[in-house]
Amino acid sequence: MIKVKNLVKKYQSGDSELSVLKDVSFDVKSGELLAITGRSGSGKSTLLYQLGLLDHPTSGDIHIGDIDTDQLSPDERTNFRLKELGYVFQDYALIPELTAIENVALPLIMQGQKTSEANTKAARVLDKVGLKERLHYLPSKLSGGEQQRVSIARAIGHNPKIIFADEPTANLDSETAKTVLNIFLELHKEGQTIIMVTHEPEYATLADRVLTLSDGKIL
Ligand code: ADP
Ligand code: MG
């Protein structure tokens, strides 16, 4: 599903240069649940952002399916992200003015689906994450765990090839975190490819494979 080769990411700040990813290579299989762990500052989010095409690496190759992502034009890249990839972030990143169902339907409408179709689909995936009774709630009226479930529903609404999650349970208490984690495990069981950054060693053991980063390299 993903082939990463000799990935390098450097950040420039003034005269100094910070090497964050140092020649990282690995593959991810279709249907795999890959956990990325490592200390704070080891480059986990940076790696996820490069794989998720949210940022451009300094050098190296990222192939997703048969696509060399480096060859995509900016428009093709945006479309590819919208159609093929899904994202879950630590802070949920919901639009505060939109209800749960509107948050989930919006990316579908942006992809050209009719509002009625998008709403039907959004209601279905919200039901799937256990939020059937919360369709018309604003994020501010939902608990952290519920907000994260809305964000997972948004990430899966368009049947993405790959879901990228960056410490999706970091802001949740352990009980709620388990509920959210179980949704990922359920999706994984259904064959969804998932790449998840987590600092919880316990969660990493549930993954098919664990990739540990240390100072920008794979241990
Ligand atoms: P992790 O997610 O493992 O905690 P990050 O990938 O966020 O680590 O960060 C790795 C290193 O890169 C850190 O030293 C961080 O300060 C630095 N870094 C991350 N993003 C930027 C940026 N946009 N500009 C400069 N340095 C950055
Ligand atoms: Mg991070």
Side-chain angles (χ1 to χ4, degrees):
M1 181 66 84
I2 307 183
K3 276 188 199 301
V4 180
K5 232 178 139 192
N6 305 118
L7 194 66
V8 171
K9 180 68 184 180
K10 295 176 181 169
Y11 290 115
Q12 203 77 39
S13 70
D15 286 345
S16 65
E17 198 178 58
L18 182 66
S19 269
V20 176
L21 297 175
K22 301 167 181 166
D23 197 16
V24 169
S25 301
F26 62 96
D27 292 352
V28 184
K29 290 194 197 88
S30 179
E32 189 166 23
L33 170 56
L34 177 73
I36 300 174
T37 61
R39 289 209 190 128
S40 177
S42 58
K44 304 182 297 297
S45 294
T46 302
L47 176 58
L48 200 77
Y49 276 52
Q50 315 308 309
L51 299 178
L53 311 188
L54 296 166
D55 195 6
H56 288 273
T58 306
S59 63
D61 294 321
I62 300 171
H63 281 78
I64 302 182
D66 17 343
I67 292 182
D68 179 353
T69 61
D70 201 31
Q71 300 297 317
L72 298 172
S73 69
D75 277 356
E76 287 169 343
R77 210 174 143 91
T78 303
N79 277 327
F80 188 80
R81 274 202 311 259
L82 261 175
K83 283 218 169 77
E84 312 286 6
L85 310 179
Y87 307 93
V88 179
F89 299 102
Q90 179 176 336
D91 61 359
Y92 327 130
L94 301 173
I95 300 174
E97 294 83 5
L98 299 183
T99 62
I101 191 167
E102 288 168 341
N103 264 286
V104 177
L106 184 65
L108 302 175
I109 294 167
M110 282 168 67
Q111 282 176 51
Q113 295 193 20
K114 284 199 203 110
T115 307
S116 58
E117 261 172 50
N119 283 335
T120 307
K121 188 78 204 265
R124 197 186 313 146
V125 286
L126 281 164
D127 184 14
K128 183 170 175 153
V129 299
L131 292 178
K132 195 162 76 177
E133 314 295 336
R134 298 281 186 274
L135 299 187
H136 303 291
Y137 281 49
L138 288 170
S140 59
K141 302 290 177 200
L142 297 169
S143 70
E146 288 170 336
Q147 289 183 61
Q148 193 57 301
R149 283 190 271 156
V150 174
S151 107
I152 295 172
R154 179 182 55 187
I156 62 176
H158 56 293
N159 302 318
K161 280 203 174 80
I162 308 161
I163 291 179
F164 297 94
D166 193 357
E167 307 211 26
T169 61
N171 290 342
L172 305 174
D173 62 71
S174 61
E175 202 56 38
T176 313
K178 266 185 205 136
T179 314
V180 166
L181 197 69
N182 278 331
I183 295 173
F184 283 107
L185 293 176
E186 195 58 40
L187 293 170
H188 172 48
K189 230 188 266 169
E190 293 169 10
Q192 177 72 57
T193 307
I194 302 171
I195 303 181
M196 184 187 309
V197 171
T198 175
H199 61 278
E200 300 274 356
E202 184 198 340
Y203 297 170
T205 61
L206 299 167
D208 295 320
R209 198 151 54 103
V210 182
L211 193 152
T212 304
L213 278 182
S214 174
D215 193 22
K217 290 189 196 136
I218 297 178
L219 282 187

